[in-house]
Amino acid sequence: MRKIIENLSHHLDDYECMWNGIEDIYMNKTGEKIPDQFFFAMSGFCSFAYIKTNKADIKRMVSFGDGRTKKMYEFLAPIVGFNYHHIECKSPELALTKAKKEIDNGFPVVIGALDMYYLEYYTKLYHKEHIPFHYVLMIGYDDEEKNIFLYDCGRKEIIKLSYENLLLGMNAEYKGLCKPNTICTIRMDRPNSKKDIFKSAMKLKSNMFLNPPTKFLGINGLKKLSKEILNWEEELGKQETDKILRNIVEFCGSVPTTPNRLNGISKKDEVVFMCSRDKMSKVLIELGKEYKNNNLVKSGELFKESGKQFEKLCNIFIDYILDTKKDMKLASDVILDIAEIECSAYQLVSKGLDEI
């Protein structure tokens, strides 16, 4: 049997794989044009949490934005106006069977996480590097040719993926983020407008940062981190501190990755380590111009400056890990700079939202 969902337009927007297909569904449903990285920025970016977990492997959890797929969906789904259901199957074969039933009923389905080692259309990664954290939108299948049809955030055209590689790729697990053999069904009957989504999401994000309910979240958490980071090595030792800093740096990348310097490679990194502030900046500036709102444009410029401070912070941490230079006082000062910049940015966002 062969089935493909026709007339579903797709937009190219790399590094937002878990949202790209859902944005496709949204734009096809509403006719709205949204900025690149829109759902990603509205959900996971630019929050903050600092948690001490002495019994865990990483004893100081520092999060400058929650990029966990399920948490992002949980936050944004009611704001956008869609329903979703993650189905975790016992086998990849069962996951494929359920996905095909969705296609038969006329609904595209999010597949993932997938290990990019098995995605034959990514020639630089295929059978070369395991990256078990990628999502695609399945829009069809062909039992005779034994492949699925999909849209990928990094490709414009409809892509074929063999059943064999799909089944191998679905057996991927990213600890704390996803389980193997998972698909996600989407229903989007009457989604809200882009403006309503933007206002609702940014109002919540601004309030969570500026008026956090506890001392380890938002602006309070950043100030707490800036003080306590000075004592990490004395409290935990160099090895544990290195582990914490490495985790922070990796998750500051456009995608979670180890910087080349930490791998002993002199080549420039393919991703930037701006903790996605560059992406939030672009969304705010684009919508600020569209809505003729200078406060939103200025807030976007501030997030761009915050992103530059994150690059500086990551380099300080990398120097510390490599024993090139130890300067936690400078790191503490940069964290305070980030706190002040983002506090001003969110205050401008709040003003801007009242004007549109």
Side-chain angles (χ1 to χ4, degrees):
M1 184 172 176
R2 185 182 191 274
K3 173 80 173 181
I4 187 166
I5 297 173
E6 307 285 354
N7 302 320
L8 180 68
S9 300
H10 168 62
H11 73 299
L12 178 68
D13 190 5
D14 215 353
Y15 299 124
E16 61 137 14
C17 57
M18 71 285 293
W19 281 116
N20 188 252
I22 297 176
E23 288 181 340
D24 284 342
I25 296 170
Y26 175 80
M27 288 191 286
N28 278 271
K29 189 78 176 179
T30 64
E32 294 262 26
K33 182 183 181 300
I34 60 176
D36 286 351
Q37 307 285 321
F38 182 56
F39 281 7
F40 214 157
M42 293 303 98
S43 57
F45 292 167
C46 304
S47 57
F48 182 76
Y50 169 49
I51 303 173
K52 296 182 180 181
T53 55
N54 286 331
K55 294 182 179 179
D57 182 48
I58 305 293
K59 293 179 169 49
R60 299 291 183 271
M61 293 303 299
V62 177
S63 172
F64 290 102
D66 196 338
R68 292 175 294 176
T69 305
K70 291 182 179 179
K71 287 297 181 180
M72 288 194 291
Y73 286 10
E74 181 182 329
F75 175 80
L76 199 60
I79 295 174
V80 173
F82 71 88
N83 296 314
Y84 67 95
H85 179 50
H86 281 103
I87 304 173
E88 297 168 350
C89 300
K90 293 182 179 179
S91 70
E93 290 82 5
L94 181 57
L96 176 57
T97 297
K98 290 183 178 295
K100 288 163 65 176
K101 287 182 179 178
E102 283 291 295
I103 301 300
D104 290 342
N105 290 324
F107 298 107
V109 57
V110 176
I111 306 289
L114 292 168
D115 187 345
M116 298 179 77
Y117 182 87
Y118 299 104
L119 302 185
E120 61 252 38
Y121 55 91
Y122 279 111
T123 55
K124 290 184 178 180
L125 299 173
Y126 183 54
H127 286 178
K128 294 186 179 89
E129 186 174 355
H130 289 280
I131 302 178
F133 189 56
H134 192 63
Y135 296 79
V136 299
L137 185 72
M138 179 176 165
I139 61 169
Y141 66 91
D142 189 324
D143 285 333
E144 184 174 340
E145 292 188 4
K146 297 189 181 304
N147 59 48
I148 68 166
F149 301 98
L150 63 89
Y151 281 132
D152 187 292
C153 67
R155 298 288 188 274
K156 179 63 178 174
E157 70 280 6
I158 294 176
I159 295 170
K160 294 180 181 181
L161 178 65
S162 69
Y163 284 177
E164 179 182 7
N165 279 325
L166 174 67
L167 297 177
L168 290 168
M170 275 199 285
N171 191 27
E173 183 169 11
Y174 202 114
K175 189 175 181 181
L177 296 179
C178 59
K179 292 185 178 181
N181 312 320
T182 296
I183 67 171
C184 184
T185 61
I186 305 294
R187 297 292 185 271
M188 194 179 296
D189 296 325
R190 291 189 294 274
N192 295 313
S193 70
K194 174 180 66 178
K195 182 182 286 189
D196 286 342
I197 293 167
F198 175 65
K199 292 179 70 173
S200 296
M202 291 306 298
K203 183 176 181 180
L204 284 171
K205 291 168 79 69
S206 297
N207 189 56
M208 285 191 292
F209 186 84
L210 296 172
N211 305 294
T214 68
K215 60 184 179 181
F216 59 83
L217 297 175
I219 184 69
N220 294 345
L222 272 170
K223 291 178 178 179
K224 182 178 176 65
L225 172 65
S226 71
K227 293 179 181 178
E228 296 192 0
I229 197 172
L230 298 169
N231 303 316
W232 279 1
E233 184 172 344
E234 182 179 349
E235 293 175 357
L236 304 169
K238 177 69 162 58
Q239 184 176 355
E240 289 297 331
T241 301
D242 286 352
K243 190 185 298 184
I244 298 166
L245 298 182
R246 181 181 287 267
N247 187 66
I248 295 172
V249 170
E250 288 178 351
F251 279 90
C252 281
S254 301
V255 292
T257 190
T258 302
N260 284 339
R261 282 180 63 199
L262 289 180
N263 286 326
I265 301 171
S266 59
K267 183 181 177 182
K268 184 180 178 181
D269 289 294
E270 292 186 6
V271 303
V272 297
F273 290 83
M274 299 182 75
C275 207
S276 298
R277 270 53 182 177
D278 54 324
K279 299 173 183 177
M280 176 64 87
S281 170
K282 291 176 181 178
V283 170
L284 287 168
I285 290 173
E286 181 175 334
L287 291 181
K289 290 179 178 178
E290 180 179 335
Y291 300 139
K292 296 179 173 55
N293 189 299
N294 201 41
N295 282 318
L296 295 179
V297 173
K298 287 181 178 178
S299 70
E301 292 168 349
L302 284 175
F303 274 114
K304 184 176 181 179
E305 176 58 33
S306 178
K308 294 177 181 177
Q309 293 300 312
F310 272 103
E311 288 186 313
K312 183 177 180 180
L313 183 65
C314 287
N315 281 321
I316 295 169
F317 288 164
I318 292 169
D319 284 339
Y320 179 94
I321 294 167
L322 296 176
D323 290 319
T324 304
K325 183 179 180 181
K326 287 186 178 182
D327 199 342
M328 281 302 202
K329 177 60 171 64
L330 180 57
S332 174
D333 291 342
V334 172
I335 291 168
L336 279 179
D337 288 342
I338 290 170
E340 291 175 6
I341 292 169
E342 298 200 350
C343 181
S344 297
Y346 273 124
Q347 287 170 345
L348 286 170
V349 167
S350 296
K351 291 180 182 178
L353 293 177
D354 291 336
E355 298 168 353
I356 62 175

